[in-house]
Amino acid sequence: MSVHPQLIRRFPFNRHDKPPRLARSEKYRKRNLSWAIGGRQLDRVNVLGNDISYGHTGCVNALSWARDGELLLSGGDDQTVRIWRMDPSEPHEYPFVCRSIIRTGHRANIFNAHMLPYSSRIATVAGDQEVRIFDIGESQLGSQDGRETWIRPEAGGTRVLRCHHDRVKRITLEDSPDVFLTVGEDGSVRQHDLRTSHDCRREQCPTPLVKVNHELSTLALSPLTPYHFVVAGESPYGLLFDRRQTGRYLKEEWGMVPAPGEDDLTTCVRRFGLTSMRNRQSGPLRGHITGARMSAENGHEVLLSYSSDGIYLFSTQDDVGDNTKFATSVLAPNAKRLKVDNIDMVADIDDQQSESSRVDEEAEDILLETDLFQLEEPDEAEEEEEEDELDQYSTVDEDDRFINVSIVLPRRQYKGARNVETVKDVNFLGPHDEFVTSGSDDGNFFIWDKATGALEGIYEGDGSVVNVIEGHPHLPLIAVSGIDKTVKLFAPTYGPSCYSRTGNAERIIEVNSRRTRNGMHRHHLIALLAQARQLMGGENTDSPECTHQ
């Protein structure tokens, strides 16, 4: 049946567009979801697992929502992946229970786990340098009889990829059940296509998309701009790569001078860094990035979390070297969140430093014996000089290929959380990515307003350290994990929040700032301690390493 042209002009309707009523409903839903996260306090609504007989038996390093939020995947030090799904028979507001557990066969800690889109495949990466894919089938995604189903690695559909030559840290999904990216500490980013096969033992692996001369620990891309991805690690810069190579001169399009004879699969088109602000007091001293995330809402905003520093917001659309938009975060919380908590955490915060003090005292004693340096009370000028020395000590050499790549400076900084001891992720929250969130060494996780930098809330998410935070794609629900063996779920509450620490924000931020400075000096002392032990003929033992590294 044909449609009259005048009707088309009068009522233009694209079959991909949503009907007006549905579009309005979606708009209201997102507005309510944004208000629920930013306008009300959160509280812990469920704990997945326990420390005795149910759930993980080690730190939970990996969280990801799957099937549009129907499933939650978790993985960690016990080398298993647990699949949590809602069970209406459970007496919780958010009754997620585990019915399927995958014995992955990994021989080291799992760092990331994702379910590939439009499939029942689950991909995992771990410290044993392996990428594993499990096609578990729909029938094993969760039994309805209340019993747990254990899935062993020898079950059909398991595939092992050994393309990386060091620990593999992150997986990034494409809009495909067959294609995904991984990043490893061998400095490479690899694209895996499950429709093809190769023999890793014969070194027939496809050429990596990226190969740099320093360790990489994080990888991010946006579904709106999948041709761009950001990698970062043991370097003060996040690197933006463009993989639209075929038939194009990308460097010329980005205003760069291409080197003759280049045949890389990707092109580094921008660096994200803080170069022009290195002399300010809060500048990065260690030159190390632990987490990266690209916005799924707009495709151009990039979050980078610097160890021993703060979180920075960048944009691929900003001009090179333009930091006129840069602003530090507003550390004082919003007035609507200033409520007195029912638990005083000051004493607990001050009691957590005994182990660090012990290590520092041991380092100082040995260093004094070896005359490597004398401990004195420095004045302000000496402290600034010492920070510059620490900066030079810990910053790695830059890859010569990227020295001339232009640097984009940050739009905003978010401070208050402490990121010294472990590798922490960073994330957006909200239906429009209007909030920024990060874990902290003090066991809390922080939420900021992205546009203003105002602190929206601080919540206790772990007994020790929060490393991973993942927001549900449609519900005002946030999954949090870290050093504990459990996963905590947070959602808005009408009454007072038992786990909100926003009332103690000023004290918490002050302690975190002091501990960050002490932590940087501690890392420097430990490095000198290793040198001292070598001079004294002792063993060169490294500092204790958290399992989420």
Side-chain angles (χ1 to χ4, degrees):
M1 181 180 67
S2 62
V3 181
H4 196 278
Q6 290 185 354
L7 292 178
I8 296 178
R9 288 194 296 267
R10 186 175 179 181
F11 301 103
F13 181 78
N14 190 310
R15 65 185 180 89
H16 297 291
D17 294 338
K18 295 180 180 179
R21 182 174 297 180
L22 183 59
R24 287 195 299 269
S25 176
E26 181 71 4
K27 179 180 178 180
Y28 294 148
R29 186 192 68 81
K30 289 187 175 182
R31 185 179 66 181
N32 291 335
L33 178 57
S34 179
W35 175 80
I37 296 176
R40 293 165 57 185
Q41 286 199 109
L42 305 179
D43 201 6
R44 186 184 296 179
V45 295
N46 201 352
V47 178
L48 308 185
N50 56 48
D51 294 331
I52 303 174
S53 59
Y54 179 56
H56 287 283
T57 59
C59 303
V60 182
N61 309 321
L63 291 176
S64 64
W65 296 98
R67 296 291 176 88
D68 214 23
E70 176 187 351
L71 305 176
L72 175 65
L73 274 59
S74 63
D77 290 4
D78 60 6
Q79 299 153 28
T80 69
V81 170
R82 288 184 169 261
I83 304 174
W84 308 83
R85 66 187 309 162
M86 281 194 177
D87 184 351
S89 64
E90 290 292 316
H92 294 286
E93 188 175 359
Y94 295 94
F96 281 86
V97 296
C98 179
R99 294 289 181 258
S100 301
I101 307 102
I102 303 175
R103 296 187 186 273
T104 63
H106 282 296
R107 300 179 304 279
N109 305 346
I110 294 175
F111 293 126
N112 217 200
H114 282 277
M115 177 172 284
L116 303 184
Y118 321 116
S119 75
S120 57
R121 293 170 173 168
I122 294 177
T124 60
V125 295
D128 58 5
Q129 308 179 13
E130 293 182 350
V131 180
R132 287 182 170 246
I133 303 96
F134 309 89
D135 196 346
I136 62 176
E138 296 293 331
S139 62
Q140 300 189 79
L141 283 178
S143 62
Q144 302 299 326
D145 56 6
R147 294 181 299 178
E148 292 183 346
T149 300
W150 287 86
I151 306 170
R152 300 184 178 276
E154 57 268 20
T158 301
R159 185 170 176 180
V160 181
L161 302 175
R162 299 181 177 88
C163 304
H164 287 279
H165 304 294
D166 208 330
R167 298 193 297 180
V168 192
K169 304 305 289 285
R170 289 292 181 270
I171 301 169
T172 299
L173 300 181
E174 303 265 12
D175 189 28
S176 167
D178 302 300
V179 181
F180 61 95
L181 307 182
T182 58
V183 64
E185 292 183 351
D186 58 359
S188 70
V189 175
R190 292 185 175 272
Q191 177 176 291
H192 307 280
D193 191 336
L194 301 181
R195 295 167 296 188
T196 62
S197 61
H198 64 272
D199 191 342
C200 297
R201 291 170 294 186
R202 296 183 179 180
E203 298 184 354
Q204 296 177 351
C205 303
T207 304
L209 296 180
V210 170
K211 187 69 175 73
V212 300
N213 64 1
H214 59 267
E215 291 184 3
L216 295 176
S217 58
T218 185
L219 168 69
L221 62 78
S222 170
L224 295 182
T225 54
Y227 44 84
H228 285 162
F229 62 86
V230 175
V231 296
E234 292 289 342
S235 167
Y237 298 101
L239 304 177
L240 174 66
F241 286 86
D242 195 324
R243 49 178 168 166
R244 297 173 294 179
Q245 288 291 89
T246 305
R248 304 182 66 174
Y249 297 97
L250 283 177
K251 289 198 172 184
E252 184 177 342
E253 293 180 21
W254 284 84
M256 305 162 63
V257 179
E262 284 194 347
D263 56 356
D264 293 339
L265 297 179
T266 57
T267 301
C268 182
V269 293
R270 287 291 183 269
R271 289 186 293 170
F272 301 112
L274 318 173
T275 301
S276 67
M277 295 174 287
R278 292 177 71 85
N279 293 328
R280 63 185 178 84
Q281 186 175 359
S282 60
L285 298 179
R286 299 181 62 198
H288 176 54
I289 298 172
T290 66
R293 195 70 60 128
M294 291 190 73
S295 172
E297 178 67 17
N298 56 50
H300 68 87
E301 290 182 327
V302 179
L303 288 173
L304 295 180
S305 179
Y306 279 82
S307 179
S308 301
D309 195 356
I311 297 163
Y312 294 84
L313 177 69
F314 301 83
S315 173
T316 62
Q317 297 178 351
D318 284 351
D319 294 334
V320 173
D322 179 15
N323 64 343
T324 57
K325 300 178 181 179
F326 177 78
T328 56
S329 63
V330 181
L331 295 185
N334 292 342
K336 60 187 177 184
R337 291 299 185 86
L338 279 175
K339 298 181 179 179
V340 178
D341 295 319
N342 57 352
I343 299 177
D344 187 4
M345 296 184 60
V346 175
D348 294 338
I349 293 174
D350 288 333
D351 289 341
Q352 294 175 358
Q353 201 175 5
S354 58
E355 180 63 19
S356 296
S357 300
R358 184 193 64 77
V359 175
D360 291 348
E361 291 173 1
E362 179 187 359
E364 291 173 2
D365 292 342
I366 296 181
L367 291 170
L368 285 172
E369 293 177 7
T370 56
D371 294 329
L372 286 180
F373 72 97
Q374 297 294 324
L375 296 175
E376 298 176 352
E377 292 293 331
D379 56 24
E380 293 184 1
E382 290 175 342
E383 286 183 348
E384 293 180 359
E385 182 178 354
E386 183 178 0
E387 288 184 352
D388 292 338
E389 292 176 356
L390 284 172
D391 194 5
Q392 296 174 1
Y393 171 82
S394 57
T395 299
V396 300
D397 294 332
E398 284 301 296
D399 195 316
D400 292 341
R401 295 172 297 167
F402 309 134
I403 288 179
N404 295 323
V405 177
S406 302
I407 298 173
V408 176
L409 302 179
R411 290 183 169 186
R412 184 170 294 280
Q413 180 187 21
Y414 308 91
K415 299 181 65 176
R418 187 167 85 246
N419 181 12
V420 178
E421 298 300 329
T422 62
V423 176
K424 292 174 189 63
D425 208 352
V426 66
N427 210 342
F428 292 98
L429 286 179
H432 302 291
D433 288 349
E434 62 268 43
F435 302 103
V436 174
T437 185
S438 171
S440 178
D441 287 342
D442 57 7
N444 298 315
F445 67 96
F446 289 62
I447 300 177
W448 300 270
D449 183 277
K450 183 183 69 176
T452 66
L455 182 64
E456 291 288 341
I458 304 175
Y459 302 95
E460 180 187 333
D462 193 272
S464 180
V465 178
V466 173
N467 288 319
V468 186
I469 306 168
E470 290 291 338
H472 191 279
H474 303 296
L475 300 176
L477 181 65
I478 300 172
V480 178
S481 70
I483 301 301
D484 287 350
K485 302 173 184 178
T486 58
V487 180
K488 282 83 170 180
L489 299 182
F490 284 79
T493 178
Y494 288 101
S497 171
C498 296
Y499 291 90
S500 173
R501 303 295 177 254
T502 311
N504 284 326
E506 292 185 4
R507 173 62 174 165
I508 291 173
I509 292 171
E510 175 189 353
V511 172
N512 281 344
S513 177
R514 172 165 51 85
R515 296 277 178 83
T516 296
R517 293 192 299 269
N518 292 343
M520 292 185 293
H521 288 278
R522 177 171 174 258
H523 282 289
H524 188 51
L525 283 173
I526 290 175
L528 292 175
L529 173 62
Q531 299 177 12
R533 284 172 170 164
Q534 285 183 327
L535 292 175
M536 298 175 66
E539 295 182 358
N540 182 15
T541 58
D542 296 326
S543 61
E545 185 178 8
C546 173
T547 54
H548 185 69
Q549 290 286 332

